[in-house]
Amino acid sequence: MLLSGTHVMEGSGRMVVTAVGINSQTGIIFTLLGAGGEEEEKKDKKAKKQDGAVAMEMQPLKSAEGGEMEEREKKKSSIPKKEKSVLQGKLTKLAVQIGKAGLVMSAITVIILVLYFVIQTFVVDGKLWLTECTPVYVQYFVKFFIIGVTVLVVAVPEGLPLAVTISLAYSVKKMMKDNNLVRHLDACETMGNATAICSDKTGTLTTNRMTVVQSYIGDLIHKEKPDPSSLNSKILDLLVNAIAINCAYTTKILPPDKEGALPQQVGNKTECALLGFVLEMQRDYQLVRDQIPEETLYKVYTFNSVRKSMSTVVCLPNGGFRLYSKGASEIVLKKCSNILNAAGELQTFRPRDRDEMVKKVIEPMACEGLRTICIAYRDFQAVPEPEWENENEIVGDLTCIAVVGIEDPVRPEVPEAIRKCQRAGITVRMVTGDNINTARAIAAKCGIIQPGEDFLCLEGKEFNRRKQERLDKLWPKLRVLARSSPTDKHTLVKGTICEQRQVVAVTGDGTNDGPALKKADVGFAMGLAGTDVAKEASDIILTDDNFSSIVKAVMWGRNVYDSISKFLQFQLTVNVVAVIVAFTGACITQDSPLKAVQMLWVNLIMDTFASLALATEPPTESLLLRKPYGRNKPLISRTMMKNILGHAVYQLVIIFTLLFVGRYFKNFTQPWAPSEHYTIIFNTFVMMQLFNEINARKIHGERNVFDGIFANPIFCSIVLGTFGVQVRKCEFRANFRVVDESLKANF
């Protein structure tokens, strides 16, 4: 049975079930995860039709009565597919454009060749189409068609899919060493284009290990762990007993499951923090529990959200009773009439003293995002026995032992990781279910919000009210979304992707994060603390639960994107030169200077190794010094276009010089033989591409193309290997041609 709206507490009681199935909170989560595919598809279409307005309200959930069970089964089978990744979309668009350009060039080549042949043969030479000459003419037309196909094949970058696959596969393998388990291959390159990260707080930015970081004991404020020897023994004994007895006995601190790990916290996290505080005081709470077993507790007032406190009554050896109480400081302090001073003596605690304590102790802790807990006690006489059912009377006239400030500490690596993300042009937002004050304080510690920065911190209700405005006014300044439901997280991510066309990554570890993880372009789940639902909805799993691993994912993603861009720069230079040479040569000399076998070597062999060489470049920190490309920036930048056109012009000048003038370079009286002439052109063409492979390593206008070249031994091996094979290929053909000519001379 799936329940919604219930409050978690310890104890027993009765419950009214108000919603089950898809009408419960868990049902809504699984609906957002994909069970309601048709509704999602309709909302996507509706959102696209509206200009500027955000129309992402949750659709009313239908009843499960009648024939709607069958209808939902049909919906499950028609779940919409996830949108193409950023790189896939850009590559698809580029491939279509290249295909059209190649087809046009091929058609023009065939048309020009046919027209040239027809005009020259039947108009200029005045020949007639004779029946016996038909096979000869057909052979000419077939030759023209083959040349046209050659131009088309040259125009299409066959090595591009291989470069994409190699780059992604290589990155996935390397990312595993950086604690990124990639579940979906395209998530690698998508992360490189991320412009926003929406992160959960508990367990992701924080350790999910509540810890006492400040305390007020014996009239002194301790900003760090107090020295047990400096505390009065009476106060310390009372504090240890109050915590050990007045916490659920099911809450424990267990030894770490493996060497080097932190102790395990079992049970209520706030109580775990208090028990951990006892252990830091070099005392053992278990010894106290062994002396006073749970079954000997006289009376227990369990915690609930109304009283915001918990109290436990035990019997004293002298026959009296002692009540230990703990809870929210603003509640428990109102019930205190005494407080222990530094000597462990009772001191009157008046309303004026309480106001001063709130101002000097409670408020400073709260401003730092700490949850303040007051620990108190009260003694009763055995006769007459108190009326235990009158809780308001019993839990009153207390003596304050201490006030502690508890926080879920920020992971130590998080601030630096967030700083790197911001430097890389990625906006980090916190989306949490905690109250807005705690969320704002944690966001400040993480560096998500900076002093003097113009930002927004909203609660879920306020966000839902204001999202009816144009989202582009709300989204850029939003940094913290507190008291958010799974639907709010899903709505924020969906609106950012659909309306703002941002590339969004989401991090989370809980079931509540599932819908947002599923909807995001890239979802990161925590491998250690994450739930199965979160892991299943994610694209990448952080095996070490380390937020800084996301920075590594950004580096690898940008490296994949750059690797594809490097190969494109290299490949398009080859294609542009080859197409123009084949087209011009065919139109002028009636034959292509670059033969089909030669183009096979360049396109299928050389480009294949080039894709491997350029796709295995290791990432560097410099990748984090530029802004993300985003969803709309073209794949081929202006710098890349200048490089492609510049190299193409240079190579065309060299090749055309060799084609039209180079045949006389051997001897001004005796030109090269056609086979020698075209071999020189082919060899020069290949060598220029080989050295252009080195130039293609830099796509952002860097001047030193050799920088870091020895960091990639694969690249060096491929360049040298290709060079050796090319030399051997041409020399073998030259030697074979000399032998062939000598044989002809002898016979």
Side-chain angles (χ1 to χ4, degrees), residues 495-510:
T496 307
I497 293 174
C498 296
E499 298 296 325
Q500 302 301 314
R501 304 304 297 162
Q502 298 290 317
V503 182
V504 181
V506 171
T507 65
D509 64 335

mmCIF file of all heavy atoms in Angstrom, residues 495-510:
data_model
loop_
_atom_site.group_PDB
_atom_site.id
_atom_site.type_symbol
_atom_site.label_atom_id
_atom_site.label_comp_id
_atom_site.label_asym_id
_atom_site.label_seq_id
_atom_site.Cartn_x
_atom_site.Cartn_y
_atom_site.Cartn_z
ATOM 1 N N GLY A 495 10.970 23.002 -17.311
ATOM 2 C CA GLY A 495 10.841 24.369 -17.825
ATOM 3 C C GLY A 495 12.168 24.925 -18.310
ATOM 4 O O GLY A 495 12.235 25.613 -19.326
ATOM 5 N N THR A 496 13.253 24.588 -17.585
ATOM 6 C CA THR A 496 14.573 25.075 -17.985
ATOM 7 C C THR A 496 14.993 24.474 -19.319
ATOM 8 O O THR A 496 15.604 25.138 -20.154
ATOM 9 C CB THR A 496 15.610 24.728 -16.901
ATOM 10 O OG1 THR A 496 15.140 25.206 -15.641
ATOM 11 C CG2 THR A 496 16.937 25.384 -17.206
ATOM 12 N N ILE A 497 14.655 23.189 -19.536
ATOM 13 C CA ILE A 497 15.040 22.520 -20.782
ATOM 14 C C ILE A 497 14.152 22.963 -21.938
ATOM 15 O O ILE A 497 14.635 23.362 -22.999
ATOM 16 C CB ILE A 497 14.958 20.983 -20.612
ATOM 17 C CG1 ILE A 497 16.018 20.507 -19.619
ATOM 18 C CG2 ILE A 497 15.159 20.290 -21.951
ATOM 19 C CD1 ILE A 497 15.922 19.042 -19.284
ATOM 20 N N CYS A 498 12.823 22.894 -21.720
ATOM 21 C CA CYS A 498 11.885 23.129 -22.828
ATOM 22 C C CYS A 498 11.751 24.604 -23.177
ATOM 23 O O CYS A 498 11.729 24.965 -24.357
ATOM 24 C CB CYS A 498 10.513 22.548 -22.465
ATOM 25 S SG CYS A 498 10.506 20.754 -22.260
ATOM 26 N N GLU A 499 11.647 25.455 -22.151
ATOM 27 C CA GLU A 499 11.383 26.863 -22.407
ATOM 28 C C GLU A 499 12.668 27.658 -22.658
ATOM 29 O O GLU A 499 12.714 28.511 -23.532
ATOM 30 C CB GLU A 499 10.630 27.479 -21.221
ATOM 31 C CG GLU A 499 9.265 26.847 -20.973
ATOM 32 C CD GLU A 499 8.313 27.084 -22.128
ATOM 33 O OE1 GLU A 499 8.368 28.159 -22.743
ATOM 34 O OE2 GLU A 499 7.525 26.169 -22.436
ATOM 35 N N GLN A 500 13.713 27.370 -21.878
ATOM 36 C CA GLN A 500 14.955 28.138 -21.980
ATOM 37 C C GLN A 500 15.983 27.490 -22.889
ATOM 38 O O GLN A 500 17.016 28.088 -23.172
ATOM 39 C CB GLN A 500 15.558 28.325 -20.587
ATOM 40 C CG GLN A 500 14.645 29.025 -19.605
ATOM 41 C CD GLN A 500 14.243 30.400 -20.065
ATOM 42 O OE1 GLN A 500 15.075 31.175 -20.509
ATOM 43 N NE2 GLN A 500 12.964 30.723 -19.977
ATOM 44 N N ARG A 501 15.724 26.238 -23.305
ATOM 45 C CA ARG A 501 16.627 25.494 -24.186
ATOM 46 C C ARG A 501 18.017 25.371 -23.579
ATOM 47 O O ARG A 501 19.029 25.407 -24.270
ATOM 48 C CB ARG A 501 16.718 26.136 -25.571
ATOM 49 C CG ARG A 501 15.394 26.305 -26.279
ATOM 50 C CD ARG A 501 14.651 24.996 -26.406
ATOM 51 N NE ARG A 501 15.376 24.038 -27.216
ATOM 52 C CZ ARG A 501 15.142 22.731 -27.202
ATOM 53 N NH1 ARG A 501 14.232 22.224 -26.379
ATOM 54 N NH2 ARG A 501 15.830 21.920 -27.981
ATOM 55 N N GLN A 502 18.045 25.250 -22.245
ATOM 56 C CA GLN A 502 19.303 25.023 -21.556
ATOM 57 C C GLN A 502 19.605 23.521 -21.529
ATOM 58 O O GLN A 502 18.712 22.686 -21.667
ATOM 59 C CB GLN A 502 19.220 25.553 -20.119
ATOM 60 C CG GLN A 502 18.965 27.049 -20.019
ATOM 61 C CD GLN A 502 20.150 27.861 -20.468
ATOM 62 O OE1 GLN A 502 21.284 27.554 -20.147
ATOM 63 N NE2 GLN A 502 19.899 28.918 -21.223
ATOM 64 N N VAL A 503 20.866 23.187 -21.340
ATOM 65 C CA VAL A 503 21.272 21.793 -21.154
ATOM 66 C C VAL A 503 21.461 21.595 -19.653
ATOM 67 O O VAL A 503 22.363 22.183 -19.055
ATOM 68 C CB VAL A 503 22.577 21.477 -21.913
ATOM 69 C CG1 VAL A 503 22.950 20.014 -21.732
ATOM 70 C CG2 VAL A 503 22.411 21.796 -23.396
ATOM 71 N N VAL A 504 20.600 20.792 -19.044
ATOM 72 C CA VAL A 504 20.499 20.714 -17.590
ATOM 73 C C VAL A 504 20.973 19.358 -17.091
ATOM 74 O O VAL A 504 20.571 18.316 -17.615
ATOM 75 C CB VAL A 504 19.053 20.963 -17.116
ATOM 76 C CG1 VAL A 504 18.963 20.899 -15.595
ATOM 77 C CG2 VAL A 504 18.562 22.317 -17.613
ATOM 78 N N ALA A 505 21.823 19.380 -16.074
ATOM 79 C CA ALA A 505 22.217 18.178 -15.344
ATOM 80 C C ALA A 505 21.585 18.234 -13.958
ATOM 81 O O ALA A 505 21.453 19.318 -13.377
ATOM 82 C CB ALA A 505 23.737 18.080 -15.222
ATOM 83 N N VAL A 506 21.186 17.089 -13.449
ATOM 84 C CA VAL A 506 20.552 17.007 -12.137
ATOM 85 C C VAL A 506 21.302 15.982 -11.304
ATOM 86 O O VAL A 506 21.656 14.900 -11.802
ATOM 87 C CB VAL A 506 19.067 16.615 -12.247
ATOM 88 C CG1 VAL A 506 18.476 16.307 -10.869
ATOM 89 C CG2 VAL A 506 18.270 17.732 -12.905
ATOM 90 N N THR A 507 21.567 16.316 -10.049
ATOM 91 C CA THR A 507 22.185 15.363 -9.133
ATOM 92 C C THR A 507 21.231 15.088 -7.988
ATOM 93 O O THR A 507 20.532 15.985 -7.517
ATOM 94 C CB THR A 507 23.510 15.910 -8.572
ATOM 95 O OG1 THR A 507 23.245 17.069 -7.770
ATOM 96 C CG2 THR A 507 24.450 16.298 -9.687
ATOM 97 N N GLY A 508 21.200 13.851 -7.537
ATOM 98 C CA GLY A 508 20.318 13.480 -6.439
ATOM 99 C C GLY A 508 20.590 12.069 -5.978
ATOM 100 O O GLY A 508 21.287 11.295 -6.635
ATOM 101 N N ASP A 509 20.018 11.727 -4.814
ATOM 102 C CA ASP A 509 20.228 10.385 -4.269
ATOM 103 C C ASP A 509 18.946 9.720 -3.801
ATOM 104 O O ASP A 509 18.948 8.523 -3.511
ATOM 105 C CB ASP A 509 21.216 10.451 -3.096
ATOM 106 C CG ASP A 509 20.665 11.255 -1.922
ATOM 107 O OD1 ASP A 509 19.790 12.114 -2.159
ATOM 108 O OD2 ASP A 509 21.105 11.028 -0.785
ATOM 109 N N GLY A 510 17.851 10.465 -3.741
ATOM 110 C CA GLY A 510 16.617 9.914 -3.191
ATOM 111 C C GLY A 510 15.576 9.588 -4.240
ATOM 112 O O GLY A 510 15.683 9.989 -5.405
#
